[in-house]
Every structure is written in structure tokens, then in C-alpha cells.
Amino acid sequence: MASVLRTTNRRETELQGGANEIRTGIPLKLVHRTSLLSPQSRTESVKISILKELLELDTVRLRGYKLSSWITGIPRSGHFASTNSSANNRISSGATLGSGQYFVDFYMGTPARKYSLIADTGSDLIWIQCYPCSKCYSQSNPIYYPNNSSSFSSVSCSAKQCFLVPAPPHDSCSSRFPTSCQYTYEYNDGSSTSGFLASETVTMISSSGERLKISNITFGCGLSNEGQTLHGSNGVLGLGQGPVSFASQLGDLYGSIFSYCLVDYLKATTDTSLLVFGDAKISQSLRNAIQYTPLLKNSFAETYYYVGIKHVRLNGRVLPIPSKLWQIDSAGYGGTIVDSGTTLTYFRKAAYSLIVAAFKRAITMPRVAPIQGLDLCFNVSADSGIKIPEFSILLEGDVLFQPPAENYLIDTALDVKCIAMQGVDSPLGSNTIGNLLQQNFHVEYDRSRARLGFVSANCSSSS
């Protein structure tokens, strides 16, 4: 059970195991990988020059939304696997890290040291590169040394946490002499981490300097880690719905709520987005305007945050898209995922074709050849008064998500704008609402009430 120590203006209060709830949120800076502040140390941040890179990463991430890789697990062998049949059904990571698009400063250990982790709503495990590392990639901060932290503790292979992570091949655990819990966690872009589970004290430091210490957080101590998209980071902060994610481990401490407000990262700016655990400090007028849609269950892919689309509109007109293209079928395919780690918004091919056709009818500007994989592009050089059709999505609960035009019509070359959407060719694919469409919205994941909230906001002003 975690214990919590909060420090504000030299006043300290200790809370045990989330029994007391902290409603006031703690905001953390969220830095996009293309930002001038990114640990990947870019020397420029120009939208046309970075878009191609982001779309390539999207392709890798979306490849992971195939259930064949989600339901293949490696059970633990030995005494503990044989005496607990439910523990045998440990699944593979089901993770689609892919792009590693947002970084957050994360403080671990006693004394606390800073590590830059990829914040990812599409995976669960928290892990960090550890000494002695047999295979590690380059990172921005020093590696984590377990022996340098007085609050470090390894997790036994007999502990319940051990049955929540994928086991390496030929893994076993003795009931008489249990060893540390070994894991192997693979992402569908080819990245991976292997090591052992441990627990540690985490210190969250807000953008205003407030400090909150949380003990007994389970994480992966990665000894063999690889993947191009991981470079620059110290590891990953999983925020999915699985039991080992950071959001799940915090539990009721913050009312099971986290949120973010994403700035327009395609602009050359040092503005940062915010990731907030607990109630975000937003105006009462914004809070009153938040709309909520239910989070849907998919038992085949429990990590992801699914919402239900009822229909899509263009200029207020409902497009004739069959409802089955929005639904999760009996095998777990389809549905719609809200994802902070995917750039564009993706629709299943049949739905996408109807959306593109509607945009073609509504936009009278001259069309140009596809650019950077985007199918529908327009020459805007001769038209200073561009009339952009209004795109909106009606979600379950009859709430309307209506993003501004700059979220779905983006610059891709000089005097050229393209629709920031693509089709998913695979019949097994899901629809995905990506981070471009979510920019300048306060997006709230209310896990205890199984709902997703959103409201239009100026995210630059809150950073």
C-alpha cells in the first residue's frame, strides 16, 4: 500500500494508501518530442519539416492496434503458476508506444533524481533504464542506480504484481526460494524492455514547485532495452487502464482522474503542455462547460481508452456512415480509441472514404497531389478568405466534439493545406482520435466514473 507525503510551503501532511483523497491536482509539464525543450535536443521546430517524421511514427504505432499481438501471453511456470490458474493468463504488453511523442520529468528514488519518461496513454508499464544495463540506448539523464536509493526494493516473483506483467521465455519461480520478478515487455514498433520489477518512491514536482512523495510504486528496472523511438528518454510512464499503469497505481489518491491540455506543437514555440493528476485548476466557466462521454470496455484490449461515435458531421450534415464502422465487434476489433501518442486522426477505410468525399464537395479550393501521405490537399495561395467546413463528431451521451479548423486542416508545404486524417486499410483496425485533433482542448480521463471529458481551452495560457 502506498504512502504519500505532500510538501507545500514547508507544511507536510502524510496520507496512507490513498485512504485520504487529494482533490487538488498536481500539474506536470508535458514536452512534445519536436519541442525546442525536448530531451531529443532538436535545433529547430518547423511544422513542415517535422510532419513527415510524425506520420512515419503514426504508421508504426497504428500497426500495433491488431489484436493478434494482444492476446498472446507467456504464463509463469513453476509452483505459483500451477496453483493459481488465473495467474496463468498474463497477456503480452498490448503496447503501441510507437512514437514516444510526449516527455514528462519524473523524479524517483531517495534522494530523488530526475528522469525524462515518455508519457503514454497507449501502454501500462512504468519502467526506467537501470544499472547494470547490459543493453541500453542513449538517454539525456544519468542512468538509475538502484543501490543509490534507500527506498528501492525488488519485487518477488511470488508477489501479485508479478502476474500483471509479461514473463520472459523459460521463466520460473520457486515457492521455497522465490527470486525477483523478471519481465519482458515488447512494443509493436519493435521497441522492448527486459529486466525485473521493483518498487520505489516517486516524487512529483509540479510546474509551481509543489512536491508530492508517493512510496511503493511498482516499476520495471530495465536491464536490456532497445528501440529508436525511445532514444533521449530514460523510459516510459504508462498511463493506460491496466493495473500496473501509473494512473492505476495512484488509484483514488487523485480521485482516479488525470487530464492534459495539449498546445499546438506544430508552431515554433517553447510553450509546454500540461499533464495533471487530480482536479485541474481551470476556471469555473470551463469546468461548467466540460462535456462527458462514456469510456467503453473492450475485454480484448483493456489498456486503451475507447469512446463511442454515433455519427460524424460536416457543416452540420450527418454523413451516411454505417454504424457498424464505429462499433467494437464480438472479437474486439474496431471501435474508437482516444490516443495522445498518435498524430493524425484515423478512420476505418469505408468511413474515411465518405468523410473525404464530403470534404471534397465542401472545399472549392484547387486540389493538389497528396503530400507526405495525406490524401486530400489544397492550394490556398489565391484565396485569402478560405471557407473551411465545420467538422464535428457526435459521441455517446449526445455530446458534440467540434475541433477548430486548424486541428484538422494543417500546413504541409508552402501555400498548401491538407486534411489531417487518414484511412485504416486493415479490416481489423480501430478508429483513432489523435493528438492534433485534441490540441487546445482540456481532456479529462475520469476513470472512477468511466467517462472522458473535454472542453475547448487555450492550452498555451495554462502552461
Side-chain angles (χ1 to χ4, degrees):
M1 192 69 78
S3 64
V4 183
L5 182 67
R6 187 171 192 157
T7 306
T8 311
N9 297 329
R10 297 186 179 181
R11 295 178 61 192
E12 299 180 352
T13 305
E14 187 167 5
L15 305 177
Q16 295 291 333
N20 296 289
E21 187 179 290
I22 301 174
R23 294 299 301 181
T24 304
I26 186 163
L28 309 178
K29 289 185 178 180
L30 202 58
V31 177
H32 193 266
R33 73 196 314 270
T34 61
S35 167
L36 299 176
L37 303 176
S38 167
Q40 294 199 336
S41 302
R42 298 184 66 93
T43 57
E44 62 173 346
S45 183
V46 181
K47 66 175 69 177
I48 294 174
S49 67
I50 65 177
L51 189 59
K52 181 179 180 181
E53 174 190 354
L54 296 177
L55 298 191
E56 289 173 349
L57 293 170
D58 267 10
T59 301
V60 172
R61 187 175 180 89
L62 290 169
R63 195 179 301 140
Y65 292 155
K66 294 182 179 178
L67 293 171
S68 59
S69 64
W70 296 346
I71 57 177
T72 55
I74 303 175
R76 294 260 174 208
S77 59
H79 173 80
F80 296 101
S82 62
T83 57
N84 186 343
S85 59
S86 64
N88 282 348
N89 298 320
R90 292 176 51 222
I91 61 172
S92 64
S93 68
T96 55
L97 178 67
S99 53
Q101 292 202 11
Y102 288 95
F103 296 86
V104 63
D105 286 342
F106 201 68
Y107 294 79
M108 284 181 58
T110 305
R113 290 182 169 83
K114 183 175 79 170
Y115 302 96
S116 182
L117 303 188
I118 294 169
D120 188 32
T121 57
S123 64
D124 293 323
L125 183 66
I126 312 164
W127 66 269
I128 191 170
Q129 295 203 115
C130 287
Y131 179 86
C133 200
S134 61
K135 187 175 185 180
C136 280
Y137 55 84
S138 60
Q139 60 182 43
S140 57
N141 295 317
I143 197 167
Y144 170 80
Y145 279 75
N147 290 342
N148 289 350
S149 173
S150 62
S151 51
F152 169 85
S153 176
S154 64
V155 171
S156 167
C157 62
S158 63
K160 62 180 180 180
Q161 301 99 305
C162 194
F163 295 99
L164 301 176
V165 294
H170 313 298
D171 177 72
S172 64
C173 184
S174 166
S175 59
R176 293 184 61 192
F177 305 105
T179 58
S180 61
C181 176
Q182 307 296 311
Y183 75 88
T184 294
Y185 201 82
E186 297 179 348
Y187 300 90
N188 283 294
D189 70 335
S191 301
S192 65
T193 174
S194 296
F196 61 94
L197 278 193
S199 68
E200 185 56 284
T201 294
V202 167
T203 302
M204 298 170 69
I205 302 179
S206 74
S207 53
S208 62
E210 182 181 3
R211 301 169 71 92
L212 177 75
K213 288 188 176 182
I214 310 170
S215 65
N216 299 325
I217 292 295
T218 300
F219 74 104
C221 206
L223 303 179
S224 179
N225 319 296
E226 57 183 331
Q228 184 63 37
T229 53
L230 297 170
H231 285 210
S233 76
N234 294 95
V236 176
L237 181 68
L239 295 173
Q241 297 203 79
V244 296
S245 80
F246 187 61
S248 295
Q249 291 192 61
L250 286 182
D252 293 335
L253 178 63
Y254 279 108
S256 294
I257 292 174
F258 73 91
S259 61
Y260 52 68
C261 200
L262 306 179
V263 300
D264 185 350
Y265 59 78
L266 291 181
K267 293 179 180 178
T269 178
T270 55
D271 288 345
T272 57
S273 302
L274 283 183
L275 171 66
V276 181
F277 293 95
D279 285 341
K281 295 179 181 178
I282 60 175
S283 68
Q284 191 59 47
S285 60
L286 275 184
R287 186 162 298 284
N288 292 340
I290 295 178
Q291 301 183 83
Y292 290 98
T293 187
L295 287 170
L296 306 182
K297 292 282 189 181
N298 185 348
S299 59
F300 292 94
E302 295 180 344
T303 292
Y304 301 105
Y305 294 95
Y306 283 86
V307 295
I309 292 179
K310 298 187 73 172
H311 60 242
V312 168
R313 301 176 182 174
L314 203 66
N315 282 337
R317 177 177 173 268
V318 176
L319 302 187
I321 300 172
S323 60
K324 67 179 181 180
L325 295 176
W326 308 129
Q327 296 169 357
I328 302 171
D329 67 21
S330 59
Y333 299 115
T336 301
I337 296 168
V338 178
D339 185 25
S340 65
T342 301
T343 301
L344 302 183
T345 289
Y346 292 81
F347 294 107
R348 299 177 73 177
K349 197 66 173 182
Y352 172 72
S353 297
L354 291 169
I355 292 170
V356 166
F359 269 111
K360 286 179 178 178
R361 292 191 297 269
I363 299 179
T364 59
M365 293 175 290
R367 292 203 294 272
V368 299
I371 294 178
Q372 298 185 12
L374 298 177
D375 299 321
L376 190 56
C377 301
F378 302 91
N379 185 326
V380 299
S381 60
D383 195 342
S384 58
I386 303 171
K387 181 66 174 177
I388 306 299
E390 293 182 350
F391 174 80
S392 59
I393 301 173
L394 185 70
L395 299 166
E396 292 291 343
D398 290 327
V399 297
L400 192 66
F401 177 60
Q402 187 168 339
E406 59 264 26
N407 285 19
Y408 57 86
L409 190 67
I410 59 174
D411 295 326
T412 54
L414 183 63
D415 294 329
V416 174
K417 290 181 181 289
C418 297
I419 301 299
M421 302 173 190
Q422 282 188 337
V424 179
D425 289 323
S426 171
L428 308 181
S430 300
N431 307 293
T432 304
I433 298 175
N435 57 45
L436 274 179
L437 210 62
Q438 299 176 56
Q439 287 182 162
N440 285 313
F441 276 86
H442 172 78
V443 181
E444 179 182 287
Y445 294 76
D446 187 344
R447 292 156 50 96
S448 65
R449 296 178 177 87
R451 63 182 187 174
L452 181 96
F454 58 90
V455 62
S456 179
N458 181 357
C459 295
S460 294
S461 67
S462 60
S463 63

